[in-house]
Amino acid sequence: RVAYDVIGPHEVAVPTHLFKVVLAEQTGTGERRLAAFLLPNAPVRGHPDIDEFAVPLADVERASGLTLFEELGAARHSATEVRPLCGAGAAARCGRGAMDGRIAGWKLLGHLKLAGDCSALEEAWGAVPPKTEAFGLMRRTYEDRSGTMACPLAEKRRGEGT
């Protein structure tokens, strides 16, 4: 039995989870790499690493009822035929510290957007390093959310620039 929320007068189903599957193919060699992630369709508090949501492709297919990359046949479920996107074995990681920092940056932006009050907004803003790649976007988001919630803006921090 599957249970899910519905919204609106037409009772549109709201999924409980979202998935992301990445299949990358190396130009020239044709080597393929794959990563699959299954996340709850809800705010995620803290700073969980994306790797906490990594699952085998078969889990995403089972949960969604879809067959993904059918043209690959059984190879899509074989780590020797289609290697993991972020390496192999227990040490393989895609998340913070393993990629280029963009994932961590977007998580920080999400925390700014999810802040429900001025205190949570200040806490989220305090976690944003001034040298973050998308700092300008985060600063604008912080300022917009501060204005919407009538929060006082924090002073500029050392190294923040303009």
Side-chain angles (χ1 to χ4, degrees):
R1 177 175 179 194
V2 177
Y4 51 87
D5 291 333
V6 294
I7 57 173
H10 300 289
E11 296 189 340
V12 176
V14 178
T16 60
H17 289 77
L18 307 169
F19 69 86
K20 177 88 169 190
V21 178
V22 179
L23 176 65
E25 185 172 332
Q26 177 70 39
T27 304
T29 67
E31 178 188 26
R32 294 183 175 142
R33 292 179 173 252
L34 185 132
F37 305 93
L38 189 60
L39 297 90
N41 186 17
V44 177
R45 294 289 175 198
H47 295 279
D49 204 306
I50 190 70
D51 297 304
E52 292 181 31
F53 304 103
V55 297
L57 178 62
D59 287 6
V60 171
E61 290 179 328
R62 190 171 24 264
S64 67
L66 301 171
T67 301
L68 303 168
F69 310 116
E70 192 169 13
E71 68 278 7
L72 299 179
R76 72 186 188 280
H77 297 291
S78 167
T80 57
E81 302 260 346
V82 178
R83 295 178 47 204
L85 181 65
C86 303
R93 301 193 54 80
C94 285
R96 213 171 36 241
M99 299 293 266
D100 63 2
R102 289 186 181 142
I103 293 171
W106 292 119
K107 285 182 188 177
L108 292 171
L109 182 61
H111 288 284
L112 288 169
K113 290 182 175 186
L114 289 172
D117 58 38
C118 294
S119 175
L121 183 63
E122 285 306 312
E123 182 179 336
W125 179 239
V128 176
K131 299 209 183 274
T132 301
E133 182 178 332
F135 186 81
L137 173 61
M138 290 186 201
R139 176 80 188 175
R140 286 189 302 277
T141 301
Y142 166 70
E143 290 171 351
D144 290 348
R145 296 285 292 146
S146 290
T148 300
M149 293 191 284
C151 302
L153 286 173
E155 296 286 321
K156 288 196 172 164
R157 298 172 296 186
R158 178 191 275 179
E160 188 175 314
T162 57

